[in-house]
Amino acid sequence: MARQVTLNRRLINTGVAWAFGILIFFPIFWTILTSFKTEAEAISLSPSLFDFDWTLENYQEVNSRSNYPRYFMNSVIIAVGSTLLGLIIAVPAAWSMAFVPSKKTRGILLWMLSTKMLPPVGVLIPIYLIFRDWGMLDSRTGLVIVLTMVNLPIIVWMLFTYFREIPGEILEAARMDGAGLKSEILYVLTPMALPGIASTLLLNVILAWNEAFWTLVLTTTKAAPLTQFIASYSSPEGLFYAKLSAASTMAIAPVLILGWFSQKQLVRGLTFGAVK
Amino acid sequence: ETLTIATVNNGDMVRMQKLSGEFTKANPDIDLEWVTLEENALRQKVTTDIATKGGQFDIMTIGTYEVPIWAKQGWLLELDGLPDDYDTDDILPGIRGGLSMDDKLFAAPFYGESSMVMYRKDLMEKAGMEMPEDPTWEFIGKAARAMTDKDAGTYGVCLRGKAGWGENMAFLTATANSFGARWFDMDWKAQFDTQQWADTLNFYVDLMNDAGPPGASSNGFNENLTLFQNGQCGMWIDATVAASFVTNPDDSKVADQVGFALAPDNGLGKRGNWLWAWSLAIPAGTEKAESAKKFVAWATSKQYLELVASNEGWANVPPGTRKSLYENPEYQKVPFAAMTLKSIEAADPTNPTVDEVPYVGVQFVAIPEFQGIATSVGQQFAAALAGQVSVEDALKSAQALTTRAMSKAGYPK
Amino acid sequence: MGSITLKQVVKRFDETVVIPPLDLTIEDGEFVVFVGPSGCGKSTLLRLIAGLEDVTEGVIEIDGVNATDLPPAKRGLAMVFQSYALYPHMSVRKNIAFPLKMAGMDQAAIDAKVNYAASTLNLADYIDRRPGQLSGGQRQRVAIGRAIVREPSAFLFDEPLSNLDAALRGNMRLEITELHQTLATTMVYVTHDQVEAMTMADKIVVLRAGYIEQVGSPLDLYREPANVFVAGFIGSPAMNLITGKNAEDHGATTIGVRPEHFSLSHESGQWSGVVGVSEHLGSDTFLRVNVEGIGYLTARADGEFPARHGDTVYLTPDPERIHRFDEAGLRIR
Amino acid sequence: MGSITLKQVVKRFDETVVIPPLDLTIEDGEFVVFVGPSGCGKSTLLRLIAGLEDVTEGVIEIDGVNATDLPPAKRGLAMVFQSYALYPHMSVRKNIAFPLKMAGMDQAAIDAKVNYAASTLNLADYIDRRPGQLSGGQRQRVAIGRAIVREPSAFLFDEPLSNLDAALRGNMRLEITELHQTLATTMVYVTHDQVEAMTMADKIVVLRAGYIEQVGSPLDLYREPANVFVAGFIGSPAMNLITGKNAEDHGATTIGVRPEHFSLSHESGQWSGVVGVSEHLGSDTFLRVNVEGIGYLTARADGEFPARHGDTVYLTPDPERIHRFDEAGLRIR
Amino acid sequence: MSTTHSRTAGKAMLSPAVILLFLWMIVPLAMTLYFSFLHYNLLTPGTSFAGIANYQYFLTDPAFFEALGNTLAIVGGVLIITVVGGTLLALLLDQPMFGQGIVRLLFIAPFFVMPTVTALVWKNMFMNPTNGLFAWLANTLGATPIDFLGHHPLASIIMIVSWQWLPFATLILLTAMQSLDSEQIEAAEMDGASAVSRFFHIIVPHLARAGTVVILIQTIFLLSIFAEILVTTNGGPGYASTNIPYLVYMQSLLQFDVGGGSAGGIVAVVLANIVAIFLMRMVGKNLDL
Ligand SMILES: Nc1ncnc2c1ncn2[C@@H]1O[C@H](COP(=O)(O)OP(=O)(O)OP(=O)(O)O)[C@@H](O)[C@H]1O
Ligand SMILES: Nc1ncnc2c1ncn2[C@@H]1O[C@H](COP(=O)(O)OP(=O)(O)OP(=O)(O)O)[C@@H](O)[C@H]1O
Ligand SMILES: [Mg+2]
Ligand SMILES: [Mg+2]
């Protein structure tokens, strides 16, 4: 395999791959570009790539209209909160599945996954009523709990596949060395699985960030995250492409940047043990 | 005290949000929290909330459709004891009637609207025709086809096609009224198997195929507004509030070429225009009733209209709610003011159709089931417009599903 | 202190009996090696002693105290795993300090002990590296260091050298032997390597399917295997086991002759046969000889012994060193 | 048919020269083993022959035809990889049939060949299993089967037995040797196992850092290593290399004595020393003896030789078998 | 590892997750089940027992079968596009090239975008038949712009969703591809397999596990695709792009028919479980969990 690859072939690969890459990325690029246009240019029938008057007025407008920092903070709190809570519940569960497996382990795991297949609309009204009764409508706590439950199966599965790759002997060694369960998990397992835990964390932050059903249904103002922010731009009177683009850019940029920085981690983690 | 206000993300409401600083300045003990959502999302949210007594909102923006239904359920707080200078009697009677039950006001209109024809004078001239003040459907059809130049990207008429009870069905129900059709007979039997409906829908689909823009079945108010502002529509029959947008030179390329006319008729005595008011209501059971009332009164007052006028000019004042506005000489200079008032006055929610009906509502039927049914029917009609089913089949499906839903809901009651 | 006694210990996984009732005594300071074919239960036995598995029945005593229900950490034993089981995220120092930290020892005492262990095991130079940056042998030493600092009453090793290459294995073998001589602590060592078992053990325990076949010193087992199984298992290349008429001549069902106990000649001898494969290692030559009426026998000749495929050679077993077994496979004394 | 000739072959990875100009001829039917320390270029050389790497300079001829630019599949060679490289999703049958299928052979012919190979290699019982369900030795056999069916003009093996345990390795070694005797096809075999090299090869090629240190039959290399490197590399335990006065006495810079070429005594002999470690294997005893003025020497005694840590013993090298090397490390003849 | 102690600990550690998930699943589900037997409309106060009427109406709704078909079409269509496309793109990205890191960044970006934003952007800025970029492209090329959402609603949604998920499939398959033991490819090469044969006989089977994960995860998310439909087509025209979740949504939140919506929800749950069973079978076979 290590035979010389001719420069030509490499150049062709590069060209084709970049072409596809740009094609796939184009909608995002275009959105970002449009956010710097005036409305008239945004909707112009002969769009221009760079040849327009760059303007920040859409961002100013969006900012003056809605309290972006609050939406942003809510998104951060909800995404990070639900992920951390999820980890706290999932780490022990995954530990148990990976290191003390029983005949039921596999079934439990698959059952957990299957709960994710239930369409949320089906249980909307009951959840809404429960939340109302518990006074958790429009509360970040409530949302953190919901998103934790929604993503828990994925967290457990990812952690499980990571933990499974850690040789049980190391945990036994820790046990021989006098570590109790807590020390074993805290000092040995968790640091060893750190890359896996990190990628689990990342994926779940992203999933929670983008969750657009429960976040819309269960929040109004105090706890409303960026999905709500976007929803208020979704179809006003007139198609304000430029403002929509600006709002979209503001909503996706944080997670896009996070995703880009952690891309390697993330992809590796996403394989759910399918790649050894 | 913090008031949570649910509003629609349309231009007038957004403006109110921006101007609300004036209100908080005057009432420093009241804070305002805004939930600005797209119309359908807003409706779902507030309906769920009020029906389950979630208590998340202190003020809700709702329409003439919801008010009578909700008031009947006792979900809304009666708007009594408003300040003297509020002048309830100044509200246009048609609008006020739609927001009252047993003569008690349950929501304050923020703006009111009917529908009318907006057209391009230049294109009309080019086509060698002249728009009367009260056109017939036949004239509209002819003019639209004459104005169409698809190669140049000009389409004779832009009409709503996007499915939804507040989108294409608002337009089509109002239009059907002028064709002599109705939703239900006095026994609550669906009427889509009538010739009147067939005529309505055939006329609409043919017209759009010949003279409408591509993709019309996805066009709602927003899309058509953009098309019109961009100079791609010869005529547009839609909400009167659009008049201020299409005549605003900042946003519209054709601002100086827009003319107005009443919604068309078919000589049957009913015009194809509707009546709607976005209104502010207070859910029963809120603990902040006093403050909420204060805000509602402020936002729908005469003073608010003046505030907008002084900040943004008369053309941007929320229209269609107060007689006094239309008596204001300043406002009369606005090109569409007269036509808007005429249109509003031409609509009669309590007697919307040629034949007698058991319901109220011009472009809707004020029963809870209507939203769902009309949205489904709207889907059928959108499919007909997109050419995916024939007009005949669309009507058949509409008839079937309406009958099903009505019998499920237990009509006739 | 470090005597270990197993009394009627039984281990079942669900229904399968892996260890049938088994008794074993390991004296304080002894180096005991468990050998046996793969799957015979060596690791299981070790893990039972360590407390990493529950015994199904029976009693395990450590230093005369019943330890059957003690958790692993309380048994005062240290274990060195086949995979080393080092903590990859900790430096060598932290790895070695871990058991002390878990025991709640104070930092100064920990440092002293770690430094002492590190210098004993020549680990000082890479005390701050992570295990990933170490060679196999160095890792093995760290694992031992981690075991040593706890001053356990006994060390347990489960095939600790099997991941190393041949040369390193030789060295580490010597190091562990020296360690045993220095510390004089009980060591229980699982391996399936002949050489390790023979050279390191004070006492070898030969297991088969959970049963103890023989317990004894390496040379005892080599010289006087208790039965056919041990005879065939101990020694490399394996003992030639001969049945039939030749065995009967010695009053046995089976007789055994080790390859190194034949004298070979090209001219004359007790049995003649044809060379099948001859393996010349330089130092020795191993011949597989097809002897009529007996079958293939393996014989060791010196490195210079000229023999090629197809040659006829004569084999004479050393009469003193013929092992005799009865029909039950037991040694006839 | 299967001669392979390398003429002035050079291999560079970017700037590092892995194989400096190298000439080598492998005769038809020969069993050639490449040995050398890790990283010396054994695998690279094999892969150059296979066509899996491009040569940087030089010519490779197979059966007298210039094959330098032929793709691997066109060279008529078969390769057995260290990791076996079986196709995990195919049954044994399909694995073996794969090269034939790729060659477009018809199904009946494929079946015949596969069945023949399977029976030759005793694979028939698990012909429908997947590789994942096989033991290491069985997998190795499948890999060989896949190579055989193509009837290549030469087999290339890259450490094919290194993933197997000792016993299995011994068996497979014999099987491959027998296979070579049966097929009489050229085999090129890379290993770092002494025993494999010594017992299997017709010809051993000793490599160091890409250079050929010596080419010859196993016994040639054992008896007459061309230089110190080969002397130390071939033979196990390794030859004792002695410098200084003792060497000068023999007119050499370095002399070498193999452990098996000492005679040992408790009473008298040429060199006296103190036993450090004695390893009793039963069949043999290896002693590490600390000889004054020389250092540690390894010596082999027979299994019964009584020697313990601290005993004094006398070593006498066999004068005939002292290897002498000059200051360049080359053998003095 | 398996002492009584550790097994007890194992159970104790697993139970919070199991119990919480169980509650999260069973409580709302039980309520939904209960509601599904009631006449319960949010807009008309009061409830009454409805028997199986809600199910009857839901299942005989002509929209139901269309929605069922659409659901499967969306899941199937997106899976085919992403898995096949992802494999090919992974193959491309696996080749030596310049700037692979940046190309990977470009590829993965769509996965991070909120579904709502995705739908809004595609609908307005690309697929809009007059102002969209596609229309502009068509006009520039002298063709008639396609009315994507009006005439090919389902295909458009499949396309949008595929755009979102293609990166996921590509990158996982790429990782899998890179994990292929190079000796296997070399062995195949020695065995005379051409590049195409190597692809089909060695690479594709090697990707089976990763492919399974891609299919599993995507199916989980695709079965409840909702935001994309709501934003772009509202399920129309007709029912052309209504899937089961959207249908349930229409019942629950457009008609506020909690009874009918609950019946629909239960039906959706049953259907999802049928899919789940098939899927889990496949997963069980391909992933040694
Ligand atoms: N957790 C377990 N569940 C069921 N059976 C087990 C378990 N652990 C071990 N066994 C069985 O117990 C027997 C003994 O296993 P053990 O690991 O002790 O063998 P071993 O002698 O160490 O073998 P090796 O030399 O291969 O390491 C084997 O048959 C094995 O299959
Ligand atoms: N693709 C490559 N790029 C750069 N250097 C390489 C490459 N492949 C091998 N080398 C270098 O070439 C040298 C010889 O490697 P090779 O694999 O042939 O050694 P070897 O003799 O087979 O070693 P071992 O016994 O460990 O298998 C090594 O120094 C190695 O680092
Ligand atoms: Mg074991
Ligand atoms: Mg190699």
Side-chain angles (χ1 to χ4, degrees), chain E:
Chain E
M1 201 68 198
S2 47
T3 56
T4 331
H5 178 78
S6 66
R7 270 193 303 271
T8 316
K11 276 191 197 125
M13 309 272 270
L14 185 56
S15 40
V18 171
I19 290 171
L20 285 174
L21 265 181
F22 186 72
L23 289 178
W24 165 251
M25 186 187 81
I26 206 69
V27 172
L29 207 60
M31 287 172 76
T32 302
L33 194 65
Y34 170 65
F35 291 158
S36 73
F37 292 107
L38 296 180
H39 287 299
Y40 180 7
N41 190 308
L42 280 184
L43 297 176
T44 45
T47 56
S48 61
F49 184 66
I52 57 162
N54 286 321
Y55 288 95
Q56 222 165 3
Y57 273 101
F58 190 83
L59 292 173
T60 55
D61 190 338
F64 172 70
F65 287 100
E66 208 171 335
L68 186 60
N70 290 339
T71 309
L72 297 178
I74 291 173
V75 174
V78 175
L79 282 181
I80 289 171
I81 292 176
T82 52
V83 172
V84 173
T87 308
L88 296 177
L89 287 177
L91 202 61
L92 174 67
L93 286 180
D94 197 28
Q95 307 296 318
M97 67 175 69
F98 300 104
Q100 213 214 31
I102 300 175
V103 176
R104 281 170 66 116
L105 290 185
L106 294 181
F107 263 93
I108 201 175
F111 185 64
F112 302 137
V113 179
M114 274 179 204
T116 345
V117 171
T118 303
L120 282 170
V121 166
W122 277 93
K123 175 196 173 189
N124 291 319
M125 290 160 60
F126 287 87
M127 290 179 162
N128 185 309
T130 39
N131 301 309
L133 216 54
F134 288 153
W136 170 77
L137 206 64
N139 283 328
T140 318
L141 299 175
T144 344
I146 302 169
D147 175 9
F148 286 95
L149 296 171
H151 289 133
H152 313 286
L154 201 59
S156 303
I157 285 176
I158 290 176
M159 180 173 152
I160 293 172
V161 177
S162 298
W163 178 76
Q164 277 180 287
W165 284 98
L166 188 62
F168 175 79
T170 305
L171 290 173
I172 290 195
L173 292 170
L174 176 63
T175 315
M177 219 173 259
Q178 287 170 341
S179 78
L180 176 58
D181 180 9
S182 66
E183 284 197 350
Q184 256 184 52
I185 290 285
E186 291 179 347
E189 218 174 324
M190 295 288 295
D191 284 347
S194 64
V196 176
S197 306
R198 289 201 296 269
F199 177 71
F200 283 106
H201 287 107
I202 312 295
I203 296 178
V204 168
H206 173 75
L207 295 181
R209 283 168 65 89
T212 308
V213 164
V214 169
I215 290 171
L216 176 74
I217 295 284
Q218 289 199 16
T219 308
I220 287 175
F221 284 90
L222 295 178
L223 273 178
S224 43
I225 283 284
F226 169 77
E228 289 85 343
I229 296 176
L230 178 71
V231 173
T232 54
T233 63
N234 276 303
Y239 295 113
S241 58
T242 298
N243 66 352
I244 297 271
Y246 194 80
L247 191 65
V248 176
Y249 159 82
M250 291 217 299
Q251 294 270 333
S252 317
L253 281 189
L254 226 50
Q255 308 182 7
F256 297 102
D257 177 1
V258 178
S262 297
I266 295 293
V267 171
V269 166
V270 170
L271 292 175
N273 271 299
I274 293 174
V275 176
I277 288 170
F278 276 108
L279 214 55
M280 293 304 166
R281 281 250 171 89
M282 181 182 84
V283 173
K285 222 183 288 165
N286 274 341
L287 289 181
D288 44 10
L289 289 173

Side-chain angles (χ1 to χ4, degrees), chain C residues 150-203:
Chain C
R150 293 180 51 205
E151 295 173 7
S153 56
F155 290 95
L156 310 177
F157 294 88
D158 192 356
E159 310 203 15
L161 306 184
S162 65
N163 284 348
L164 303 179
D165 69 28
L168 209 49
R169 203 147 56 213
N171 288 340
M172 287 306 301
R173 206 166 72 205
L174 290 179
E175 285 189 26
I176 293 177
T177 307
E178 275 170 25
L179 194 71
H180 182 237
Q181 281 163 6
T182 320
L183 300 177
T185 312
T186 312
M187 293 191 173
V188 184
Y189 191 104
V190 167
T191 183
H192 55 233
D193 184 300
Q194 280 283 332
V195 179
E196 282 174 31
M198 294 299 286
T199 58
M200 300 171 85
D202 293 324
K203 185 158 101 184

Side-chain angles (χ1 to χ4, degrees), chain B residues 178-413:
Chain B
S178 68
F179 274 78
R182 54 183 175 167
W183 267 79
F184 302 105
D185 66 9
M186 289 307 284
D187 297 325
W188 290 103
K189 272 219 194 70
Q191 296 295 305
F192 291 105
D193 52 356
T194 57
Q195 187 57 42
Q196 287 94 324
W197 265 110
D199 291 345
T200 309
L201 201 58
N202 273 316
F203 176 84
Y204 166 76
V205 170
D206 290 346
L207 177 62
M208 291 306 285
N209 284 343
D210 292 346
S217 65
S218 330
N219 289 352
F221 176 84
N222 294 327
E223 288 80 1
N224 284 330
L225 172 60
T226 309
L227 285 169
F228 194 89
Q229 288 182 333
N230 221 9
Q232 291 172 274
C233 302
M235 291 180 284
W236 178 28
I237 305 174
D238 214 310
T240 49
V241 280
S244 72
F245 306 140
V246 295
T247 54
N248 178 351
D250 288 347
D251 297 327
S252 176
K253 290 185 188 163
V254 295
D256 53 346
Q257 293 293 347
V258 188
F260 305 96
L262 286 178
D265 71 352
N266 246 359
L268 298 174
K270 291 285 169 195
R271 291 208 161 267
N273 59 334
W274 64 66
L275 187 68
W276 184 256
W278 278 117
S279 318
L280 301 179
I282 303 168
T286 176
E287 289 154 13
K288 304 166 186 164
E290 280 315 304
S291 312
K293 267 187 198 168
K294 243 187 227 169
F295 181 81
V296 170
W298 173 79
T300 59
S301 65
K302 291 179 196 165
Q303 288 81 356
Y304 176 76
L305 299 181
E306 276 156 24
L307 177 66
V308 177
S310 69
N311 276 335
E312 319 247 347
W314 281 104
N316 290 318
V317 164
T321 57
R322 287 178 174 272
K323 288 181 224 163
S324 57
L325 179 66
Y326 290 91
E327 287 154 7
N328 184 327
E330 282 299 316
Y331 192 67
Q332 282 169 354
K333 287 188 201 146
V334 172
F336 47 82
M339 195 55 73
T340 301
L341 184 62
K342 262 192 203 160
S343 296
I344 291 176
E345 285 171 342
D348 181 1
T350 50
N351 181 19
T353 48
V354 175
D355 297 324
E356 203 187 351
V357 287
Y359 56 84
V360 294
V362 181
Q363 78 279 26
F364 55 84
V365 177
I367 54 171
E369 291 78 12
F370 179 76
Q371 289 188 45
I373 298 173
T375 298
S376 300
V377 171
Q379 289 286 21
Q380 295 305 319
F381 292 177
L385 177 58
Q388 304 209 320
V389 297
S390 67
V391 166
E392 203 175 307
D393 289 345
L395 285 168
K396 251 187 227 156
S397 311
Q399 177 72 12
L401 73 88
T402 308
T403 307
R404 253 174 71 90
M406 289 302 280
S407 79
K408 184 181 180 207
Y411 284 87
K413 280 193 170 156

Side-chain angles (χ1 to χ4, degrees), chain D residues 13 18 38-44 159:
Chain D
F13 286 111
V18 174
S38 185
C40 68
K42 306 182 291 292
S43 298
T44 305
E159 310 201 16

